[in-house]
Amino acid sequence: MSDGHSGLPGTVEEVAAEVPKTQRLFPIFAKGRKTVHLVRHGQSTYNEAISGPGSWNEPNIFDAPLTKLGRSQATALGSFLAKLPKDAVWVTSPLTRAMETCVYGYKASLQVKAAQRRKAASMREAAIGLASHQKTGSGLPPSGRRRSRLSNGGLPSGVGTSRASDENGYLDGDPMLGTTPAPNRIDEIDEPGSRDAGAVSGGKYPAAVANGYGEERTPAPVREPLRTVGSDLGELAPDANGASPCDSDLDQAEMMAWGDKVFVSHHLSEKLSTSGDIGRCKGVLMNEFPLLAGGLSRLPGDVWWYNQHHRPNDAERQQFLSHEPTQKFKDRVERFRSWLTSRDEKVFVVFGHSTFFKQLTGGHRSLKNCEGDSAATLLAKLQARNRVEVDAFRAVFEAHAGAQRQARVLQERVATLNRRCAELSEGKEKAEADLKTANEAAAKGTAVKDQSARISELQTELAASYKQHAESSQQVIAAKEQQAKAEDELVTAQNALAIAERERDEARERGSELEAALEEFRAAAETATSEAEARLLARNEAVAKAEAMETENASLVERLMQMKMAEAEKMNEINDLYDDLQRQKKSAEMRAIASDLSAASAESMSSLAAAVGGANAFGSVYFPARKRLAIRANVGGTHRVAFTPGGDVLATAGDDRTVALFDAGSGNPTGPERLTAATGALLDVDFSGGDSGGAGSDVLMVLGAGTDRALRLWDATTGRTRHTLTGHAEKVVSAKFCPWNYARAVSCSHDRTIKVWDLERGFCKASIMCASNCNSVTYGESAAVVISGHYDGAARIWDLRQKPGGACDPVEVRGHSQHVTAVTMMPTNRGQFITSSRDNTLKLVDLRSGRAEVVRTLKASGYRSGTQWANPCVAPDGRHVVAGGADGGVFVWNLIDGGLKVTLRGHDVAVATCAWSQSGLVTADKNGVAIVWSG
């Protein structure tokens, strides 16, 4: 039944009355058969989502309800469903859109029945009034009044009469409008965008059929529109015209009785191939459809739709992970077919879905929402089929009919001429008799002259008659010739018709072959689609597994590196402990012979005092000998310390995500005290010159690098953040201002890149890819040279002028067996730099020879590198180098001869960083304690 159409003819007699006797339908409305009415649900929100232009995409609408248009379509079924017999069996799918169509259609049928009862009551009242008017002697209505259109002597049809019902429950043996029983055939009905399904053989019962020629025809126009049912699923509002409380109570009782009889069959649900075909558990449906609670309670379980444990389909959780196999779907259709044939009832109305109906009927067309096949639509389709077959031979038939008409006209003219000839023959005989009589009279006497004149006239008339008879004979001959010609044309047309019929039969055979080939192609396409979907799903799972494995591998590599670093530090601590034990043993041995070496010790101390005095006298730089201040710098640990160029302010960066500022002389916090805004631990800090450069004249700036993959530029006076520089993909381990232009800076990260920054505008000017992780970076002898230390134990010198915006082909210095922790430039000669490494050595590299060679190696038996990014420092005069050890010692080497000068003790844990300026030496450890040393 098409969307929104009602008011079609109510009986077979009305349909037959509209068909000429020469175009009667086949006797398909036979009694005693089982009739199944297939009704597709109204438009759902899923149908609406995929009905627009463009490519089809899965809208993920689970168990879609009806739209406003779908509810109107379901309501329009009222007049169709009102004609069902009372013992008809109602069956619906447990999907929401089918049950809503069923409930809305039934409620609309109640409204139609109520309207019919009110109309019958008003007609009875009119008949009673007319009968009482006749009894009062008023007689017939006065002339001029319009007669009533009611038949049966003014009584409405059906009043005072009874109509017997047949075994199917139809009145006078007429099936209800909208059914088309046909033996052994249920045609296929499909939804928009649904899948093709293979044809199956018809069941043992007739059912509603679609147009066998695949044509889409619009049913008869609406004659009497129904009242609109409310958009909710509540009770129907009583009609405004004559509705009574009794009617309302009757409707409610009927609805409750009807709801208990409705079958809700999970076999009837749609083939699960979209999210809209996934149902909900029966408890939720029983709450939402209390009228159908009895049928819903008979569902096999909460999960009655197709589902797999490892690939579930769940509307509540919005999961659509598997499709129902075609064979399972066909088996379910066969079970429903068997259920229908096993029932004793004669009339069924089934609310379901297009693909299910298509598989059930083996048809080849799709019905629209709420569409079925009625007697009127069947009549329209038969007439359309007749027009298609007749139009091909219309010209031949018209020519043949014209020839027959012309032959009939000629035959009539010949008959007329024959009659005329007979009359003329009779006149001739009469004239001859008169002539004979006249001759006899002339012989007798006086009337001879008159008879002669009469004879002359009759002879003239006879000659004219002969002439007219000759002309008529010629016309008859011509008519016979035309008739023969028309008969020849008729024979030719009949031959052409036979040829056309043979061609039509051949075309039908070819069409059947093409349909079979199309079905095979569709089956193959469906199989290929299923295989492609399975392969795509397997590919997606493989990709997901590969990504998960890559992520896990990266995590494992990171954990492995951390474990190796931790193991290396533990080995260093064990070695340091062993060295301490050895020193204690030697100390005990030395105390045993201390009395014998007192004189030598005194002499040695005198020599050491003289040497220290000589160092303090060099320039204005003192030699550190004792701990002057201890500062609690950072919470958790300090990774880097730095002095301002004047040496009056000390900055520390550590795990507490801040840069702490202290007065170098008193150790008290100064300025903004702490520079914040970092979101990760800070691994490096550096001061600008404060007296030149593009970052602001006379403005002291602080540059910090941290594990949050960003650099931050602070104003050291106000503590305000000037820029946050992002671009590195991993933690930033080192950052330095350009000594010649403080508007430039260089940084390095564990993403294997070195970046050059414009600090005025806050963006990256150049990025250099490295072959190994970079742990430290600084400017070399000019602003165009950058020196970096790497995890592979090499130091690399990059010339930024070799390539615009970058550098290539660096000069490598491989002096260490383990990774380089820091690179420090010599303050007195920028053609040389110091590298420190986890191999527990320091190297002095000279660039002045043009080939970057190691000219000095510094090491000590008790020295172990403190941390992953431990940095050494150089005295302002360039004579001594300081590095922190893993045992808490501060080691001072003489750079002239490479010997260890002194080891300072004051830290309890590994020393991570140090810095030396005109105002003193500062070291900091992993506990966040900074110590200022004095001479």
Side-chain angles (χ1 to χ4, degrees):
M1 185 172 293
S2 299
D3 303 344
H5 291 77
S6 63
L8 298 175
T11 65
V12 175
E13 286 78 10
E14 294 178 17
V15 176
E18 297 178 3
V19 184
K21 293 183 178 180
T22 58
Q23 300 180 12
R24 290 296 184 187
L25 298 174
F26 292 102
I28 59 175
F29 297 102
K31 299 181 182 179
R33 293 182 177 178
K34 182 178 294 186
T35 304
V36 179
H37 308 286
L38 303 181
V39 181
R40 184 193 170 198
H41 62 79
Q43 185 194 53
S44 66
T45 55
Y46 188 97
N47 298 143
E48 183 182 37
I50 66 173
S51 62
S55 60
W56 186 90
N57 292 317
E58 170 61 54
N60 288 325
I61 301 176
F62 293 81
D63 195 13
L66 295 181
T67 62
K68 184 177 181 181
L69 174 60
R71 294 193 291 270
S72 300
Q73 293 170 346
T75 303
L77 295 171
S79 60
F80 168 78
L81 300 174
K83 296 180 176 65
L84 284 172
K86 291 186 177 180
D87 60 350
V89 179
W90 293 60
V91 188
T92 180
S93 163
L95 290 175
T96 296
R97 54 189 183 273
M99 292 193 291
E100 286 186 353
T101 304
C102 177
V103 173
Y104 272 102
Y106 175 71
K107 292 183 178 181
S109 71
L110 292 183
Q111 287 187 332
V112 172
K113 292 178 180 178
Q116 291 174 350
R117 289 195 296 270
R118 290 194 294 272
K119 183 176 179 181
S122 63
M123 294 176 69
R124 283 195 296 271
E125 292 175 0
I128 293 171
L130 179 60
S132 62
H133 181 70
Q134 291 176 350
K135 288 181 179 180
T136 57
S138 59
L140 295 174
S143 60
R145 295 183 181 178
R146 296 181 59 187
R147 293 177 57 86
S148 171
R149 289 180 293 177
L150 299 174
S151 61
N152 301 325
L155 294 176
S157 61
V159 177
T161 63
S162 64
R163 300 176 66 189
S165 61
D166 66 0
E167 57 181 312
N168 288 339
Y170 296 109
L171 295 179
D172 293 341
D174 299 334
M176 61 161 285
L177 175 65
T179 64
T180 313
N184 299 328
R185 175 94 186 265
I186 301 179
D187 277 0
E188 182 176 30
I189 305 173
D190 205 352
E191 295 183 7
S194 65
R195 291 74 50 206
D196 293 326
V200 297
S201 61
K204 298 180 180 179
Y205 51 88
V209 300
N211 186 355
Y213 297 94
E215 298 177 352
E216 297 282 351
R217 296 293 180 185
T218 303
V222 176
R223 297 180 182 177
E224 294 181 3
L226 295 173
R227 293 184 294 111
T228 302
V229 181
S231 61
D232 61 337
L233 293 176
E235 297 296 338
L236 293 172
D239 188 56
N241 299 322
S244 65
C246 294
D247 290 339
S248 177
D249 294 340
L250 180 60
D251 290 346
Q252 181 67 21
E254 288 183 3
M255 288 171 62
M256 296 302 296
W258 169 84
D260 293 336
K261 297 179 181 179
V262 175
F263 288 90
V264 181
S265 175
H266 68 284
H267 295 309
L268 185 55
S269 62
E270 180 63 302
K271 179 182 181 184
L272 201 154
S273 57
T274 67
S275 61
D277 303 331
I278 300 174
R280 295 176 290 170
C281 63
K282 66 180 181 181
V284 176
L285 296 176
M286 290 173 69
N287 291 332
E288 188 171 337
F289 296 92
L291 197 60
L292 304 179
L296 289 169
S297 65
R298 292 188 287 271
L299 290 176
D302 281 342
V303 181
W304 46 264
W305 57 92
Y306 177 77
N307 186 59
Q308 293 182 347
H309 293 293
H310 61 286
R311 294 169 59 192
N313 296 318
D314 193 337
E316 300 296 332
R317 299 180 180 177
Q318 302 287 302
Q319 291 180 334
F320 172 38
L321 300 179
S322 61
H323 295 252
E324 181 177 13
T326 300
Q327 188 58 46
K328 286 185 176 292
F329 171 65
K330 291 181 179 179
D331 295 341
R332 181 159 55 81
V333 174
E334 288 303 319
R335 287 195 291 272
F336 183 75
R337 186 194 303 275
S338 300
W339 180 83
L340 283 178
T341 56
S342 66
R343 302 290 299 184
D344 295 331
E345 293 84 359
K346 297 297 183 180
V347 180
F348 297 81
V349 57
V350 181
F351 296 85
H353 311 275
S354 61
T355 305
F356 187 92
F357 289 158
K358 189 173 184 179
Q359 179 65 30
L360 181 67
T361 62
H364 302 287
R365 71 173 290 270
S366 301
L367 293 184
K368 301 177 182 177
N369 295 114
C370 284
E371 182 182 4
D373 279 320
S374 66
T377 57
L378 181 61
L379 173 61
K381 292 172 183 178
L382 290 175
Q383 290 175 343
R385 174 182 176 181
N386 182 67
R387 285 196 299 273
V388 171
E389 295 184 351
V390 168
D391 287 346
F393 310 104
R394 186 178 298 278
V396 176
F397 286 133
E398 288 178 354
H400 178 257
Q404 287 183 334
R405 287 194 299 271
Q406 188 175 4
R408 285 195 296 271
V409 171
L410 293 175
Q411 287 175 355
E412 290 175 359
R413 291 183 62 185
V414 168
T416 302
L417 292 174
N418 288 333
R419 287 193 300 272
R420 182 62 177 168
C421 288
E423 291 175 357
L424 291 176
S425 296
E426 290 176 359
K428 175 184 177 183
E429 292 176 356
K430 184 178 180 182
E432 289 177 349
D434 290 341
L435 178 60
K436 183 178 180 180
T437 303
N439 290 332
E440 290 176 355
K444 291 180 179 180
T446 59
V448 174
K449 291 182 180 180
D450 296 335
Q451 291 293 333
S452 299
R454 179 62 180 166
I455 289 171
S456 300
E457 292 176 358
L458 291 175
Q459 287 178 344
T460 302
E461 291 179 0
L462 180 60
S465 298
Y466 281 135
K467 182 178 181 181
Q468 188 175 3
H469 177 71
E471 292 177 354
S472 298
S473 299
Q474 292 178 356
Q475 291 179 355
V476 169
I477 293 171
K480 288 182 177 181
E481 291 177 354
Q482 291 180 357
Q483 183 179 3
K485 184 178 179 181
E487 290 177 353
D488 293 338
E489 292 178 353
L490 177 60
V491 172
T492 303
Q494 289 176 346
N495 294 333
L497 178 59
I499 294 172
E501 288 178 349
R502 287 197 300 271
E503 291 178 351
R504 180 197 64 188
D505 295 337
E506 293 175 357
R508 286 181 177 176
E509 292 177 358
R510 289 197 300 271
S512 300
E513 294 175 357
L514 291 175
E515 286 181 357
L518 179 59
E519 288 300 326
E520 293 178 358
F521 174 76
R522 286 176 176 171
E526 184 176 358
T527 303
T529 302
S530 301
E531 292 179 356
E533 290 177 352
R535 291 181 179 179
L536 180 59
L537 183 60
R539 175 191 171 277
N540 293 337
E541 292 177 354
V543 170
K545 289 181 180 179
E547 292 177 352
M549 292 180 65
E550 289 180 357
T551 304
E552 184 179 1
N553 183 49
S555 176
L556 291 175
V557 170
E558 183 69 21
R559 289 172 57 188
L560 179 62
M561 294 299 298
Q562 293 177 357
M563 291 174 62
K564 287 185 176 181
M565 292 172 57
E567 290 177 357
E569 291 187 359
K570 287 182 180 179
M571 288 299 298
N572 291 334
E573 291 177 359
I574 292 172
N575 293 332
D576 294 339
L577 179 60
Y578 176 77
D579 292 340
D580 289 340
L581 292 175
Q582 291 291 331
R583 283 196 298 271
Q584 292 176 8
K585 179 180 178 182
K586 290 181 180 180
S587 177
E589 293 176 353
M590 292 297 294
R591 282 196 300 271
I593 59 175
S595 58
D596 297 333
L597 299 177
S598 58
S601 298
E603 185 179 355
S604 298
M605 292 300 297
S606 300
S607 302
L608 177 63
V612 171
N616 287 336
F618 180 81
S620 60
V621 179
Y622 66 88
F623 187 86
R626 62 183 180 85
K627 181 169 66 175
R628 182 167 63 87
L629 292 173
I631 304 171
R632 186 63 180 176
N634 298 98
V635 178
T638 300
H639 294 289
R640 193 71 80 231
V641 295
F643 281 105
T644 57
D648 54 341
V649 177
L650 170 68
T652 64
D655 289 336
D656 57 0
R657 306 176 184 178
T658 63
V659 175
L661 302 179
F662 300 95
D663 183 274
S666 63
N668 297 324
T670 184
E673 296 186 2
R674 290 189 180 272
L675 307 178
T676 59
T679 59
L682 292 172
L683 303 180
D684 199 3
V685 66
D686 192 24
F687 280 103
S688 68
D691 55 357
S692 64
S697 179
D698 297 330
V699 177
L700 184 64
M701 306 300 293
V702 177
L703 181 64
T707 59
D708 57 358
R709 298 178 292 182
L711 290 83
R712 284 174 174 80
L713 183 66
W714 290 279
D715 187 328
T717 304
T718 63
R720 184 173 63 87
T721 303
R722 288 288 188 91
H723 291 297
T724 299
L725 309 175
T726 59
H728 284 292
E730 294 291 342
K731 55 189 174 186
V732 185
V733 296
S734 180
K736 289 292 184 289
F737 281 103
C738 177
W740 298 275
N741 183 0
Y742 293 120
R744 297 286 184 271
V746 65
S747 65
C748 68
S749 168
H750 273 194
D751 61 1
R752 298 187 178 185
T753 61
I754 299 172
K755 293 184 181 293
V756 181
W757 302 89
D758 184 338
L759 299 182
E760 286 184 335
R761 289 177 287 182
F763 72 92
C764 178
K765 292 188 63 178
S767 183
I768 305 171
M769 293 299 298
C770 305
S772 176
N773 282 348
C774 187
N775 289 334
S776 180
V777 68
T778 186
Y779 279 95
E781 57 187 352
S782 69
V785 177
V786 172
I787 304 174
S788 58
H790 296 268
Y791 193 82
D792 60 359
R796 292 177 172 86
I797 298 95
W798 308 84
D799 189 348
L800 302 180
R801 296 168 298 187
Q802 291 188 17
K803 183 179 180 181
C808 62
D809 298 331
V811 177
E812 291 189 358
V813 181
R814 293 189 176 272
H816 295 283
S817 60
Q818 296 189 33
H819 61 268
V820 177
T821 61
V823 176
T824 303
M825 298 304 300
M826 291 294 293
T828 57
N829 182 6
R830 297 194 71 87
Q832 295 179 328
F833 61 89
I834 299 289
T835 61
S836 62
S837 171
R838 291 292 283 182
D839 63 1
N840 304 319
T841 63
L842 287 78
K843 305 284 186 180
L844 175 63
V845 181
D846 193 346
L847 301 175
R848 292 175 296 182
S849 62
R851 51 180 182 167
E853 58 183 359
V854 177
V855 297
R856 184 80 66 207
T857 298
L858 306 178
K859 59 183 178 179
S861 60
Y863 171 69
R864 298 289 183 274
S865 179
T867 63
Q868 178 75 14
W869 299 286
N871 70 300
C873 64
V874 184
D877 59 3
R879 293 177 177 269
H880 296 88
V881 176
V882 178
D887 61 350
V890 179
F891 295 82
V892 182
W893 284 274
N894 188 331
L895 196 56
I896 303 300
D897 55 11
L900 180 65
K901 190 74 173 179
V902 69
T903 301
L904 304 177
R905 298 290 177 179
H907 292 281
D908 297 330
V909 295
V911 178
T913 181
C914 59
W916 200 339
S917 72
Q918 296 291 341
S919 58
L921 171 66
V922 173
T923 59
D925 59 29
K926 293 172 65 174
N927 284 341
V929 176
I931 296 177
V932 181
W933 303 86
S934 62

